[in-house]
Amino acid sequence: MPTVLITGANRGLGLEFATQYAGEGWRVIASCRTPEKAAHLDRLAVQNAQVGVVQMDVADHGSVDACAAQFSDQSIDVLINNAGIASDDFAHQMLGGFDFENWENILRTNTLGPMKVTEAFLPNIKAGDQKKVVVVSSTVGSLTQMNAYPVYPYATSKAALNKGMLLMAEQLRSDGVSVLCLCPGHAKTDMGMKAEGASVEVEDAVAGMRSEIANLSLASTGSFTRYNGETISW
Ligand SMILES: NC(=O)c1ccc[n+]([C@@H]2O[C@H](COP(=O)([O-])OP(=O)(O)OC[C@H]3O[C@@H](n4cnc5c(N)ncnc54)[C@H](OP(=O)(O)O)[C@@H]3O)[C@@H](O)[C@H]2O)c1
């Protein structure tokens, strides 16, 4: 059975990824920053012997390195960089009220986090059969589509993430590693419900993204797609 590593697997889209992959018999490395508080994930692990819960704070490079060290001799087929944050307070993400400390935290988590995790686990990915690196990005990071809310920190964090993944796609092509940027749609998670209009069920968002991941190949590496298969303009 293939192996998937998921970041931020304790709730929201990450927990649903873990649940759906476990349901299909995959080995799931479900990482989260506070395992002792991950009750839903613990339940999933109790019910599915192939689910393992590990600590990894993607914003803490020591934590990422410590996690990677536990798996140094193991292959991983699919890495899903899912963990992410948005500010609780929209006012602090808008011109005139910027909270730059908060902005730095968002960049550290949403942009540098996936870069660090991918770099740390690259040997595992290269050793895998599928060799896929995925990020849960957002249409909000598109350079061409304007957003209903101009949330500068979150939007720039995803735009920079997309560019980083495009660079990786080109660099890793010769190693047979495929890279994909996804948008889950406006999904009904804790984060999604902070803004009006969340309309996509979590199960549907994740089922759609899993389908995109299953279809990913070197022929489509470096693409940016929505959970329903639509191509998103960069
Ligand atoms: N929901 C949407 O409409 C939507 C739309 C576009 C993109 N996205 C993206 O989808 C991804 C998942 O979001 P969601 O909607 O599922 O949000 P969520 O329900 O708020 O869950 C976010 C997850 O990320 C984890 N996380 C945050 N910072 C972390 C860190 N430093 N290290 C490890 N884990 C961390 C959280 O863990 P804790 O419980 O420890 O906080 C939680 O598990 C994010 O990257 C988000 O930007 C979501």
Side-chain angles (χ1 to χ4, degrees), residues 8 10-11 13 33 57-58 82 84 136-137 154 158 185 187 189:
N10 56 304
R11 61 187 169 96
L13 299 170
R33 56 180 161 180
D57 180 340
V58 304
N82 162 78
V136 184
S137 181
Y154 183 73
K158 295 297 190 181
T189 62

Side-chain angles (χ1 to χ4, degrees), residues 147-160:
N147 317 123
Y149 301 98
V151 283
Y152 290 69
Y154 183 73
T156 55
S157 75
K158 295 297 190 181

Side-chain angles (χ1 to χ4, degrees), residues 104-177:
E104 282 179 8
N105 192 31
I106 290 176
L107 289 171
R108 186 168 181 80
T109 304
N110 294 1
T111 311
L112 305 186
M115 293 292 142
K116 172 64 185 173
V117 172
T118 304
E119 186 178 58
F121 284 92
L122 205 48
N124 309 77
I125 300 292
K126 286 182 180 176
D129 290 333
Q130 298 195 20
K131 300 182 177 48
K132 295 179 181 179
V133 175
V134 177
V135 294
V136 184
S137 181
S138 172
T139 307
V140 168
S142 167
L143 298 183
T144 58
Q145 299 191 29
M146 284 317 291
N147 317 123
Y149 301 98
V151 283
Y152 290 69
Y154 183 73
T156 55
S157 75
K158 295 297 190 181
L161 172 63
N162 289 348
K163 180 66 183 184
M165 297 319 289
L166 266 181
L167 292 171
M168 278 195 193
E170 278 317 302
Q171 198 179 346
L172 295 176
R173 186 190 294 274
S174 58
D175 294 308
V177 177

Side-chain angles (χ1 to χ4, degrees), residues 5-194:
L5 166 61
I6 304 160
T7 65
N10 56 304
R11 61 187 169 96
L13 299 170
L15 179 63
E16 184 62 24
F17 270 120
T19 303
Q20 292 193 16
Y21 278 113
E24 290 200 348
W26 283 50
R27 176 179 175 232
V28 178
I29 304 171
S31 72
C32 61
R33 56 180 161 180
T34 321
E36 56 276 21
K37 291 186 186 165
H40 295 292
L41 198 50
D42 277 345
R43 207 169 306 132
L44 184 70
V46 167
Q47 290 163 355
N48 297 272
Q50 79 278 21
V51 177
V53 181
V54 293
Q55 198 277 338
M56 179 159 59
D57 180 340
V58 304
D60 175 347
H61 294 185
S63 164
V64 175
D65 286 334
C67 185
Q70 292 176 49
F71 297 95
S72 57
D73 56 347
Q74 298 178 35
S75 62
I76 293 173
D77 292 278
V78 178
L79 164 62
I80 302 179
N81 287 292
N82 162 78
I85 55 172
S87 178
D88 283 336
D89 184 352
F90 278 119
H92 287 158
Q93 295 210 57
M94 298 211 192
L95 187 60
F98 286 152
D99 174 342
F100 289 100
E101 201 175 320
N102 177 252
W103 194 333
E104 282 179 8
N105 192 31
I106 290 176
L107 289 171
R108 186 168 181 80
T109 304
N110 294 1
T111 311
L112 305 186
M115 293 292 142
K116 172 64 185 173
V117 172
T118 304
E119 186 178 58
F121 284 92
L122 205 48
N124 309 77
I125 300 292
K126 286 182 180 176
D129 290 333
Q130 298 195 20
K131 300 182 177 48
K132 295 179 181 179
V133 175
V134 177
V135 294
V136 184
S137 181
S138 172
T139 307
V140 168
S142 167
L143 298 183
T144 58
Q145 299 191 29
M146 284 317 291
N147 317 123
Y149 301 98
V151 283
Y152 290 69
Y154 183 73
T156 55
S157 75
K158 295 297 190 181
L161 172 63
N162 289 348
K163 180 66 183 184
M165 297 319 289
L166 266 181
L167 292 171
M168 278 195 193
E170 278 317 302
Q171 198 179 346
L172 295 176
R173 186 190 294 274
S174 58
D175 294 308
V177 177
S178 310
V179 175
L180 175 64
C181 297
L182 286 169
C183 176
H186 194 172
K188 296 179 183 175
T189 62
D190 293 343
M191 184 190 292
M193 299 301 266
K194 284 178 188 165

